[in-house]
Amino acid sequence: MSSTTGTRGESVTPANPASDTVADTTDVTALLERGRALSTPVLRAAVDRLAPPMDTVAAYHFGWIDAQGRPADGDGGKAVRPALALLSAEAAGAAAEAGIPGAVAVELVHNFSLLHDDLMDGDEQRRHRDTVWKVHGPAQAILVGDGLFALAYDILLELGTAEAGRAAQRLTTATRKLIDGQAQDISYEHRERVTVEECLEMEGNKTGALLACACSIGAVLGGADDRTADVLEAYGHHLGLAFQAVDDLLGIWGDPESTGKQTWSDLRQRKKSLPVVAALAAGGPASERLGELLAADAKSSDFDSFSEEEFAARAALIEEAGGREWTAQEARRQHAVAIEALHGVDMPEPVRAQLTALADFVVVRKR
Ligand SMILES: CC(C)=CCC/C(C)=C/CC/C(C)=C/COP(=O)(O)OP(=O)(O)O
C-alpha cells in the first residue's frame, strides 16, 4: 500500500487497525478536492442568504473566516459526502455536475447536525478550532444549524424538477433517521448496558443514513431510477457504518493533531460507542473491570475533572477486552459489504473504481 498525504492532509497511510485489507487509495485526495471545488461556490452562495450575523457565524464554521472575521483557509471538513454525491451522479451515467445540488444539500444537513451536536455534547473543538457555540454562543449554534437545514431544501427544491422532489424526499427520510440516531446516542450515554445490535442501529441512523443519502440523491439527480438509487444507497449505508466504526476508533485512540478534537473525546462524553459496547459484551476480567469502572464513573461527581491517565486506563481496558480489534474488524466487514453492493449496478468502470477507492479511504483515514 502506498503512503501519501493530500493538500488537506488526507493521509492514505494505514492509520488504524481497520486498515489491514484495503487496496491502494492514492487518488482519493483528488476526488475529495473535486467534490470540494465543485460544491463550495454553491455552498458559499447558499450561506450568503443567511441574515447577519448568521452568515458570518456559518462562514466561521466552514473555515472561510477566523474568529475575528478575517478571511481564512480553515479546515472545512473532509467533504466525503459531496464526493459521494458527484460520483453517484456519474454512476447513473450523468456528468458529476448534475450531482452538485445533492452534494451541497447533504453537506448543509451534515453541518447543521455538527453545529447542534457540538452544543449538545459540550464539545469545544472541531476541525482544529473552537466550536461555534464556544465562540458565538449557543443561540447562534442553534440558529445557524437551523438555517443550514432550511437552505438544504432551498437548494434542491428551487431546481423545480421531478428529480429534485424525489431527492428532497430521500433527504427528509435520511434527516429523520439522523435525528433518531442522535436521540438514541444521547440516551445510551445514560444507560449502563447497550447491546452491539443497538449500537449498530444507532450508528446506521446517525451516520449511515446521510452517507447513504449523499449517494442516492446524487444518483437521482443524475437521472437514476429508484432501483439504482437504492443500490447506491445500500453502498452508502454500509460505507457509513464503516465510517462510524472508524470514527469510534478515532474518538478514543485518535491523535488530536489529526482529528482536530480533544483527546479521548468519546470517553469524556460517556459515549457507548462500538469499542466500548463490544468490550463490555466480550466478558472476561478486563471486560468486567471496565463495566465496574464505567458504572462508578456514571455516579462520580469528579468525572469532569478526570486526568488523562484515568481516561488512558479506560482505553487500555477497552483494548484488552477486545473492543478495539472488534471495531476494526467491523469497519472492514462493512467496507466489504459496501463494495459488494456496487455489483448491483452497471456503471462506468472508472466510477466503480473511484467509489471503491473512497470506501478504502474511509477505513484508513486518521481524521
Ligand atoms: C440531529 C443531530 C444533532 C445529529 C448529529 C449526528 C452526528 C453528529 C453524527 C456523527 C456523524 C459523523 C461521523 C460526523 C463526522 O463526519 P465527518 O468526519 O465527515 O466530518 P467533517 O465534515 O468535519 O469531515
Side-chain angles (χ1 to χ4, degrees), residues 6-209:
T7 53
R8 300 211 177 217
E10 281 94 8
S11 171
V12 292
T13 308
N16 59 49
S19 63
D20 292 358
T21 59
V22 296
D24 186 31
T25 59
T26 47
D27 59 349
V28 167
T29 298
L31 282 177
L32 295 173
E33 278 301 334
R34 179 186 73 158
R36 196 178 283 120
L38 288 177
S39 59
T40 299
V42 181
L43 189 60
R44 287 191 87 134
V47 163
D48 281 346
R49 296 183 201 174
L50 295 173
M54 293 181 292
D55 53 350
T56 307
V57 175
Y60 169 75
H61 170 72
F62 284 109
W64 303 329
I65 59 173
D66 66 17
Q68 284 71 45
R70 294 174 302 223
D73 185 20
D75 176 0
K78 293 176 288 299
V80 168
R81 295 161 190 79
L84 287 171
L86 302 186
L87 281 172
S88 297
E90 291 181 298
E97 283 75 3
I100 292 175
V104 174
V106 169
E107 198 65 353
L108 284 163
V109 169
H110 167 55
N111 282 280
F112 133 73
S113 81
L114 297 183
L115 284 164
H116 285 197
D117 182 58
D118 288 339
L119 178 60
M120 291 177 202
D121 285 354
D123 280 338
E124 301 189 355
Q125 290 276 306
R126 175 169 299 278
R127 297 174 176 165
H128 303 94
R129 59 186 173 277
D130 288 346
T131 44
V132 163
W133 72 267
K134 204 64 186 117
V135 176
H136 295 283
Q140 283 302 319
I142 295 169
L143 286 167
V144 173
D146 292 347
L148 299 185
F149 177 68
L151 286 170
Y153 286 90
D154 270 355
I155 295 294
L156 283 179
L157 294 174
E158 64 197 13
L159 292 175
T161 60
E163 286 76 21
R166 283 165 61 213
Q169 182 60 59
R170 283 179 182 267
L171 185 62
T172 296
T173 303
T175 306
R176 280 205 340 259
K177 288 186 184 172
L178 169 82
I179 294 167
D180 285 353
Q182 179 75 347
Q184 290 167 318
D185 195 15
I186 289 174
S187 75
Y188 294 169
E189 287 166 21
H190 308 289
R191 274 189 27 197
E192 208 166 289
R193 289 294 159 130
V194 172
T195 66
V196 166
E197 291 71 26
E198 286 173 321
C199 187
L200 288 171
E201 190 203 320
M202 175 271 285
E203 297 198 343
N205 284 334
K206 83 166 180 175
T207 304

Side-chain angles (χ1 to χ4, degrees), residues 239-257:
L239 188 62
L241 282 167
F243 190 97
Q244 186 58 51
V246 172
D247 224 61
D248 288 352
L249 293 170
L250 296 175
I252 299 178
W253 294 282
D255 175 1
E257 288 283 317

